[in-house]
Amino acid sequence: VHTSYNQAGSATGRLSSNDPNLQNIPIRTELGRKVRKAFVAQNRPDWLLLAADYSQIELRVLAHLSQDANLLAAFDRDEDIHAATASKIYNVDLQSVDSDMRRLAKVMNFGVIYGLSAFGIAQQTELSLEEGAAFIQTYFGTYSGVREYLDATLADARTNGYVETLLGRRRYLPELRSSNVHQRQAAERMAVNAPVQGTAAEAIKEAMVPIQRELDSTGASSKMLLQVHDELIFESPRQELEDLKLLLHNIMPKALELSVSLKIEIKMGETWGDME
């Protein structure tokens, strides 16, 4: 199968995939994992699939855009960012963070990028509406720079009618002035999200061009097959795997200059469903 990619198919700036949509095959369900196992490397076992995934890129972008001291420090120390957030929120040391604390912190870390409300937290966790509101308040007390950044972004968006990514791509949001409260609230969530997700989308696009240029110039057989949001998937003969990994480590973390380092995780396997 050959998907079609659309440069302007997503308002956030991400590539979209259709006919078929290969970005939408789930990984968290058993059926999704079985479907992924149907995608195999050409000429396996002599060839393997290799995936290079940006690690927590949206939170790294948020740290850069907000310049929040606690968020920047956690990434600089190369800490598990969800455990680091839980440690701050629950006021315990890093070693005392349990899985439930980390899970709630993860909901909040990613939720803040999408304008998550107390109601949203209550839906995703076992917290009540009041506990969700208190959790948000504690989070923004910990990451006050994030709160200030989000408030300033929203204020600028209301004034200008648009928001911008790090590289200056704009998303216009006339609905911010809508008299319909639901449309207005949806636009406010988009205003918060678009600079972060849009900048992450720019990073992977900025990486793809020099990667392909290098593969072409070296006469490599390895092929860039898919882009799935923050992940690039290649197929490669085994003898080229080490060179390919080195190439990706040299290019992908340098795609954008941020206050925190971009990191990638690489997995390999004979099928898309068996990568480790």
Side-chain angles (χ1 to χ4, degrees), residues 15-180:
L15 292 176
S16 66
S17 160
N18 57 282
D19 301 324
N21 182 354
L22 295 181
Q23 296 178 328
N24 220 22
I25 298 171
I27 194 169
R28 291 185 178 87
T29 65
E30 188 163 345
L31 179 59
R33 287 191 291 272
K34 284 182 178 177
V35 171
R36 285 186 173 224
K37 287 184 180 183
F39 291 84
V40 301
Q42 174 181 299
N43 301 325
R44 64 176 179 155
D46 297 327
W47 286 55
L48 292 181
L49 294 179
L50 181 148
D53 186 12
Y54 275 119
S55 173
Q56 298 168 336
I57 186 170
E58 290 182 351
L59 292 175
R60 292 172 189 272
V61 168
L62 179 63
H64 173 83
L65 293 176
S66 69
Q67 290 295 299
D68 180 273
N70 282 330
L71 207 50
L72 290 170
F75 278 122
D76 283 344
R77 291 192 294 265
D78 203 22
E79 292 173 349
D80 173 339
I81 193 63
H82 305 311
T85 296
S87 167
K88 294 280 186 189
I89 288 176
Y90 290 102
N91 198 25
V92 297
D93 60 48
L94 213 52
Q95 288 69 36
S96 301
V97 172
D98 63 28
S99 58
D100 285 337
M101 291 176 181
R102 186 185 183 279
R103 182 172 53 83
L104 285 172
K106 184 176 181 179
V107 168
M108 196 62 220
N109 271 337
F110 286 115
V112 70
I113 302 169
Y114 296 95
L116 192 66
S117 63
F119 177 72
I121 286 184
Q123 277 190 314
Q124 291 189 39
T125 68
E126 64 279 3
L127 297 181
S128 67
L129 215 57
E130 293 75 19
E131 288 170 330
F135 197 74
I136 289 175
Q137 195 169 359
T138 305
Y139 181 92
F140 284 129
T142 301
Y143 296 125
S144 58
V146 173
R147 171 83 280 171
E148 290 165 12
Y149 163 73
L150 297 178
D151 288 345
T153 299
L154 207 47
D156 287 347
R158 289 191 181 110
T159 301
N160 301 324
Y162 62 83
V163 291
E164 282 188 336
T165 63
L166 187 64
L167 298 186
R169 192 164 37 80
R170 293 180 180 179
R171 181 170 186 183
Y172 287 88
L173 296 163
E175 298 85 2
L176 285 169
R177 298 190 178 95
S178 172
S179 57
N180 181 310

Side-chain angles (χ1 to χ4, degrees), residues 239-250:
Q239 64 268 25
E240 289 186 10
L241 286 171
E242 291 307 313
D243 287 341
L244 179 58
K245 285 195 284 186
L246 185 62
L247 169 66
L248 298 176
H249 278 297
N250 282 338

Side-chain angles (χ1 to χ4, degrees), residues 176-216:
L176 285 169
R177 298 190 178 95
S178 172
S179 57
N180 181 310
V181 66
H182 297 297
Q183 283 188 347
R184 195 166 64 248
Q185 287 174 345
E188 287 171 355
R189 288 192 294 273
M190 290 175 203
V192 166
N193 173 252
V196 177
Q197 199 176 95
T199 299
E202 288 169 344
I204 200 157
K205 286 182 178 180
E206 288 287 310
M208 289 168 74
V209 174
I211 289 169
Q212 188 59 54
R213 191 179 291 136
E214 191 66 21
L215 290 175
D216 291 342

Side-chain angles (χ1 to χ4, degrees), residues 263-275:
K263 295 186 74 174
I264 60 169
E265 294 174 355
I266 290 180
K267 295 180 179 179
M268 294 178 288
E270 287 189 20
T271 84
W272 195 10
D274 294 309
M275 303 185 87

